[in-house]
Amino acid sequence: MYTHNKDFKTKGKPLSETGKALILVHGRGATAPSILDLANYLPVQDFTLFAPQATNNSWYPYSFMAPEAQNQPALDSALKQLDELVKSILEQGLKSEDLYFVGFSQGACLISEYAARNAQKYGGLLIFTGGLIGEKVDTNRYKGDFAGTPVLITTGDPDPHVPVSRIEETVEVMDKLGAIVTKKIYPGRPHTILQEELDLASQLIKLSNNDLSNGDRG
């Protein structure tokens, strides 16, 4: 088992100039620089980008649906690293509704779990092939109010790592916490991100960013 070093990459103008942040969380075997490249396909040129790096390029050792004890202490360490990054961003004067998350696969699972445990008004959650973590979904750990946070959650059917049933459970939890969830399931899609998913994510960012610019803070 392992704990994660406090390590993240940044890209773009300083937060003091942009006033908007996007946290990108990589999947198993990938890197912070590789997930930062995903931003090239999203309308976030005026965002400050942050990408935490997992020790050994993996946030936790086993499946996200394995018994939780098998993924400890790596899972708690990963959630702590993400929490410290979020707090450091908010401490620079950013409001939570100007903070966005995107993750793929293991990274999507991590942002799902973190956001549901710390539900508040975020700019948006882009969950590409991932869901809440645990052998079973423990709803007692998810608290707060997303207050209309837009969420996009997508997956293939079947996916080799993420069953559709866990996507459905994740949608249900986030809906009860006050998120506005868009779910897309693609029959036969491989474990990747399609252009259509990027287009939907871009629409979410544009709509959310425009609402905030117009003073609609939910």
Side-chain angles (χ1 to χ4, degrees):
M1 293 296 183
Y2 47 84
T3 56
H4 297 281
N5 298 319
K6 189 175 181 179
D7 181 20
F8 62 88
K9 308 298 181 185
T10 63
K11 190 175 181 180
K13 295 178 181 178
L15 200 58
S16 58
E17 294 182 28
T18 65
K20 294 185 290 293
L22 174 64
I23 294 177
L24 304 98
V25 185
H26 68 77
R28 188 188 302 272
T31 64
S34 70
I35 195 71
L36 279 171
D37 288 342
L38 184 63
N40 295 329
Y41 303 93
L42 299 170
V44 292
Q45 291 73 27
D46 58 345
F47 284 60
T48 306
L49 310 179
F50 298 85
Q53 173 64 53
T55 298
N56 299 325
N57 299 336
S58 181
W59 294 110
Y60 41 86
Y62 297 102
S63 164
F64 80 115
M65 294 182 67
E68 187 170 318
Q70 294 183 11
N71 280 320
Q72 297 293 10
L75 175 57
D76 280 350
S77 178
L79 290 166
K80 181 181 179 183
Q81 180 175 344
L82 190 54
D83 187 56
E84 289 177 350
L85 177 57
V86 168
K87 287 178 177 176
S88 72
I89 292 170
L90 297 180
E91 285 169 358
Q92 295 180 60
L94 199 75
K95 295 180 179 180
S96 63
E97 55 259 47
D98 292 314
L99 176 60
Y100 296 68
F101 296 84
V102 61
F104 173 64
S105 193
Q106 194 184 56
C109 296
L110 193 63
I111 66 168
S112 299
E113 186 71 18
Y114 176 80
R117 292 191 187 194
N118 301 274
Q120 54 188 308
K121 176 67 172 177
Y122 296 112
L125 305 176
L126 308 174
I127 303 167
F128 295 120
T129 313
L132 296 172
I133 297 173
E135 187 175 17
K136 294 182 179 180
V137 171
D138 180 4
T139 57
N140 293 322
R141 68 176 51 169
Y142 306 124
K143 304 182 187 303
D145 183 359
F146 279 123
T149 296
V151 176
L152 174 66
I153 183 166
T154 64
T155 193
D157 181 18
D159 183 86
H161 305 292
V162 182
V164 171
S165 60
R166 182 51 57 93
I167 298 296
E168 303 286 4
E169 291 176 297
T170 302
V171 169
E172 182 178 356
V173 167
M174 291 190 169
D175 182 65
K176 287 181 178 178
L177 290 171
I180 299 175
V181 184
T182 299
K183 176 190 69 179
K184 292 292 183 180
I185 298 173
Y186 299 92
R189 190 212 69 180
H191 192 69
T192 186
I193 302 174
L194 302 176
Q195 183 61 49
E196 181 180 333
E197 295 170 79
L198 294 171
D199 292 343
L200 289 170
S202 295
Q203 291 174 22
L204 182 152
I205 293 170
K206 288 177 180 177
L207 286 172
S208 177
N209 198 21
N210 185 59
D211 286 344
L212 296 177
S213 298
N214 290 333
D216 179 6
R217 294 282 171 171

